[in-house]
Amino acid sequence: LPLPTLPYEYAALEPHIDEATMRVHHLSHHQTYTDKLNKALSALRADPEQKHLAKMGIDTLLQHLPEVSDASIRKAVQNAGGGYVNHAFFFASMSPDGGGALEGEGLAAELDKAFGSFTRFKQSFTLASLELFGSGWVWLVYERRSEAPLHITSTPNQDTPAMTPGVVPLLGIDLWEHAYYLKHQSRRKDYVEAFWEVIDWLEVARRFEAA
């Protein structure tokens, strides 16, 4: 699998997300996850009884992790595969033209129903991001069979909610320190506030409509 290209230049999200962070995040961290995933997929292809798993596509494979018999390969697929898809999703969630509040019908109306208002959703998502312990992600997801289809959840490390069939991530924020440490050091709050200024709500709404 190739390293997914960014949909904008490395400096395009300035001053909110700095160019230096974007370069390290994409060219180092995302590349590393890509390389480790490809190594794990090669190992699967080399096993006659497991090679069919490598043909699933990474999104489907992450939902079939228990079928990977070798524990070390399974862990590599979980960590590197999750990192691969999470970062592609995260980078595509931002835009130089992003930010602002989501309004209108569709997702905006559903957020109002689920959280009371867009402002309350933003407050809840921010609080979850600040309270997440250690490294991981906070997500807005759509879960078809849930009593509350739109809700906020978190995952540790590089796990993704999409590992669970029927759960569709709509928005996710990377809360590993590599996502913000060059600019904000340990000030996660400043990073979360900056993230709100670059969210591509058109993309998030498109994901909701597709779900």
Side-chain angles (χ1 to χ4, degrees), residues 49-124:
E49 296 182 359
Q50 298 275 283
K51 63 182 182 180
H52 66 284
L53 297 172
K55 299 178 181 179
M56 286 184 171
I58 184 56
D59 295 294
T60 303
L61 178 56
L62 286 170
Q63 296 179 355
H64 290 263
L65 286 174
E67 298 175 29
V68 180
S69 58
D70 185 290
S72 62
I73 298 176
R74 182 168 62 249
K75 197 65 176 178
V77 171
Q78 179 176 348
N79 291 338
Y84 179 84
V85 300
N86 283 349
H87 282 85
F89 182 93
F90 174 67
F91 294 140
S93 299
M94 299 184 289
S95 166
D97 301 317
L102 187 63
E103 299 176 345
E105 299 300 320
L107 178 57
E110 293 303 314
L111 285 174
D112 287 345
K113 292 179 183 178
F115 297 95
S117 67
F118 179 83
T119 298
R120 289 185 178 179
F121 156 66
K122 181 177 178 179
Q123 291 171 341
S124 297

Side-chain angles (χ1 to χ4, degrees), residues 157-178:
N157 303 316
Q158 290 297 346
D159 286 359
T160 166
M163 290 175 174
T164 303
V167 178
V168 181
L170 303 180
L171 177 67
I173 181 171
D174 186 348
L175 294 168
W176 286 64
E177 284 192 340
H178 66 240

Side-chain angles (χ1 to χ4, degrees), residues 143-156:
E143 187 171 359
R144 297 182 183 91
R145 297 180 181 179
S146 171
E147 293 182 2
L150 275 180
H151 60 270
I152 295 167
T153 189
S154 63
T155 57

